[in-house]
Structures are given as structure tokens and as C-alpha cells.
Amino acid sequence: MSTVNTVRKGPVEWIVLDRPDRLNALDEPTRRALLAALLGAEEDPEVRCVVLTGSGRAFCVGQDLAARHELDDAGATVRDTYNPLVTVISTMDTPVVAAVNGLAVGAGMGLALVCDLVIAAEEASFACSFGKVGLVPDTGVSSVLVGALGHARAFDLAVTGRSLRAAEAHGLGLVNAVVPAGDLEQETQARADALAAGPATALALTKRIFRLAAHAPLAEVIAAEADAQGVAARSPEHAEGVAAFTEKRTPRFTTAH
């Protein structure tokens, strides 16, 4: 039985962590299955947006501590099976939306926050709990928290491991929207559909520039903006956008990523 399932809803691919009895904890087979699902979506020209979520009452509680042998060489485990997940989510041209349905803990928090948009159910919560088991943040948590909150607030969350309710995470700018649990799927699908209907080339270029802007000097960022604008202006999507504006209609962007 697969621990990661995919469901296609039009041009949107839902990737579902499906170990509800383990709160979607990540053992190595699950991490590898998740990576395969993400790469499959990235390579499929019909997929214009990806949604990552969990089944049951958790989004993902991070490393499965029952798989203790995986931490015998924790550095290798992170490098070989966690870092590739962060890399593909953050670098794939296709937008990735996290639908956080419940607990997002440790590496699960990292997987959610490294996505391009985060929609959370009111009951969802986030916890940087690595320190509680004598470990350090990984799966992109360090980068996202320090970038969004600064050193002091990020360090506080890391050393205390305290839980952030969805509303607080939203107030801190870590989450884009908080919705009732019963509306999470519908609201996420609406956001994903809007992204899927957008100009794929421009969205992909914007994602690349924003990821670069998080760490690169201004000179490098504005050079990347200029290069990207040259590509975008030559795309059929730009021509369609201008035509739609002139004709006072909604643009119909169909170019695959």
C-alpha cells in the first residue's frame, strides 16, 4: 500500500501523504515516494500547479522516530532524502501549494513552509520541535524562519519548540490564509486553479527571481529580473495578455510550464 498518493483535479496535482496512523511521519520509503511524486508532477506538462497535503488529522509530523536506524547517520539521511525534497519544491517551475490540514511538526513544518503558498485549516499548528529530541532544524526550516522572522524570533521558536496555531502563524507571515477545516480542500483548490490558469512562464520566472532575492545581492537580483523580463516579453502568454487587455476580456493562458 502506497504511503503517498496522487489525485489529478484538472491541471492541479494533489500529492497526499497517506500514513494517518503514523500522523504522516516520514520514513525513508515515504520520503522517496514523495520525491518521485514531486518529480513526476514537475515533468508532466499537463500539471500547472501542485498541492501537498496529508491525510487524517496531521499534515506531517516529520521524521518517523520509530525508524531509529535512519538517524545512525543523520547527516547522510538529511542530505540524501530530505534536502532533495526541499530542492525540488523550491526550484520546480510549477507552483506548489501546501494545504496544512493539521499538525505540521519538524520536517513536516519545513515541507509546508518551503511551498510557494500555505493555506492552513483553523485547527492546524506548526512546531519547530527538533530541539525537543536533541536535533537541529532541517528541511529548510532554518532558512524560512530566519528569513521571515529574523534571528531572535526564529531562535525562540527553535529552542522552545512551542506550537504555533494557524492564526499566529498567519500573523507572523508564515501562512497565506487560514480557513475552516471543512473549507480547506475547496479553498486550496480555488487558489491552485487560479495559479494553474495563470501565465505559466511568468509565474515560473517570478518564482525563480523571488527565491534568488531571498539571499542574493540587489545587483544580481535586478540582473535576473531584466533577463527574465526579456524571456517573458517574448512568450505567447504576454501576447495573449496584451490582446486580452486590448479586447477587454479575461486572458486565456494555455502554455505549459
Side-chain angles (χ1 to χ4, degrees):
M1 181 176 178
S2 176
T3 58
V4 176
N5 295 314
T6 60
V7 180
R8 182 71 59 84
K9 298 182 180 181
V12 178
E13 180 96 333
W14 284 69
I15 299 177
V16 184
L17 296 169
D18 194 16
R19 299 184 77 202
D21 57 320
R22 299 290 301 166
L23 300 179
N24 300 319
L26 299 169
D27 59 2
E28 184 173 353
T30 301
R31 296 192 297 274
R32 295 197 180 279
L34 176 57
L35 181 62
L38 288 165
L39 291 173
E42 180 185 27
E43 294 165 2
D44 188 339
E46 299 301 316
V47 175
R48 293 172 65 93
C49 186
V50 172
V51 174
L52 178 61
T53 194
S55 62
R57 63 188 184 91
F59 174 79
C60 173
V61 296
Q63 171 67 28
D64 188 346
L65 295 179
R68 294 187 59 83
H69 65 283
E70 295 181 9
L71 297 182
D72 288 344
D73 188 345
T77 292
V78 171
R79 280 191 297 272
D80 297 342
T81 65
Y82 279 98
N83 289 357
L85 295 173
V86 175
T87 299
V88 70
I89 290 171
S90 61
T91 62
M92 65 193 294
D93 286 343
T94 312
V96 184
V97 181
V100 183
N101 51 302
L103 298 167
V105 179
M109 181 182 189
L111 287 178
L113 298 186
V114 79
C115 292
D116 300 301
L117 291 179
V118 184
I119 314 300
E122 291 173 338
E123 294 82 359
S125 62
F126 302 80
C128 184
S129 61
F130 299 91
K132 290 186 174 181
V133 289
L135 297 174
V136 302
D138 60 31
T139 317
V141 169
S142 304
S143 178
V144 173
L145 289 187
V146 173
L149 308 179
H151 172 85
R153 287 190 295 178
F155 190 74
D156 176 66
L157 290 179
V159 299
T160 63
R162 72 179 182 86
S163 179
L164 290 174
R165 300 295 296 175
E168 184 179 1
H170 181 260
L172 291 171
L174 298 173
V175 169
N176 295 93
V178 179
V179 301
D183 297 337
L184 180 63
E185 182 175 346
Q186 180 179 347
E187 291 290 335
T188 302
Q189 185 68 43
R191 293 275 190 134
D193 284 339
L195 288 169
T201 299
L203 291 179
L205 292 168
T206 300
K207 178 173 177 174
R208 293 181 200 175
I209 293 168
F210 278 22
R211 296 290 184 182
L212 177 68
H215 60 81
L218 178 61
E220 186 175 346
V221 174
I222 61 176
E225 287 177 337
D227 291 343
Q229 199 70 290
V231 174
R234 293 190 297 272
S235 71
E237 294 163 329
H238 173 60
E240 166 60 15
V242 172
F245 178 80
T246 302
E247 298 164 13
K248 296 181 171 58
R249 61 174 174 81
T250 302
R252 297 181 292 271
F253 299 117
T254 57
T255 303
H257 68 270

